[in-house]
Amino acid sequence: MALAEVATADTDDAVRETESLDGAGGARQLLLPASLAESLEALALGVGAGPSGPGGEGLLALAAPVAVCIAMLALFGRLTVSVDQQTIRLAFGIGLIARQIAVSEVASCEPVRTRWWYGWGIRMTPRGWLWNVSGSQAVEIAYRHGGHFLIGTNDPAGLCNAIRAAKG
């Protein structure tokens, strides 16, 4: 018995129906979307969402990853560094992740280049902790007690000069 396939393009049911050529009943199979755009549209419309109706799970499935991306950008989208006579202040994004370094604890600083595999964000490197949001330029701070800390910056010479001026 030969079968012929008839694909429906209706996004409401998104199924493929097969019928036997002799007119007997057909079976229903899931129609897989042909492109990423159709997949995203199906998620947004809630195709196949179940008894709760269209839209519920589809929108949730799309909104959760978008919310995570927005949160990551808000937390780690930029690094603000400020230097005054007593303190070097670092803050990622909206300021929830922050650190202060007492200028009196700084023995020296120098511009350095970081390796590309050190990445961005907060990382432990062989040279010490690195806070970075872009590029491979940084300032390496040597503490009086022997540790090191790296601050990613687009202007390493300017940051070093500000730290040296604060030290006096």
Side-chain angles (χ1 to χ4, degrees):
M1 180 180 331
L3 295 178
E5 293 187 46
V6 179
T8 62
D10 187 8
T11 57
D12 289 334
D13 58 2
V15 296
R16 174 176 291 151
E17 296 180 13
T18 59
E19 297 180 9
S20 64
L21 291 178
D22 63 359
R28 297 176 68 87
Q29 299 174 342
L30 181 63
L31 174 67
L32 298 176
S35 70
L36 179 60
E38 288 176 356
S39 298
L40 292 176
E41 180 183 5
L43 276 175
L45 293 175
V47 172
S52 65
E57 290 86 357
L59 289 176
L60 180 62
L62 190 58
V66 170
V68 168
C69 289
I70 290 171
M72 294 302 290
L73 280 174
L75 291 175
F76 291 100
R78 68 175 181 213
L79 175 61
T80 304
V81 179
S82 61
V83 178
D84 60 47
Q85 297 295 36
Q86 291 84 28
T87 311
I88 303 167
R89 290 183 178 84
L90 299 99
F92 273 108
I94 58 176
L96 292 177
I97 301 167
R99 179 177 180 152
Q100 294 184 12
I101 302 169
V103 172
S104 61
E105 291 297 314
V106 175
S108 66
C109 68
E110 65 178 273
V112 295
R113 293 192 61 85
T114 60
R115 307 282 183 156
W116 65 269
W117 60 81
Y118 289 176
W120 299 333
I122 300 173
R123 307 276 191 220
M124 180 57 155
T125 71
R127 299 165 92 167
W129 283 101
L130 167 67
W131 283 34
N132 191 17
V133 292
S134 69
S136 61
Q137 298 180 45
V139 170
E140 183 173 355
I141 294 174
Y143 291 116
R144 293 191 185 277
H145 59 78
H148 294 266
F149 188 82
L150 291 94
I151 303 170
T153 178
N154 293 334
D155 184 15
L159 182 55
C160 266
N161 289 338
I163 293 170
R164 289 178 186 137
K167 284 182 50 146

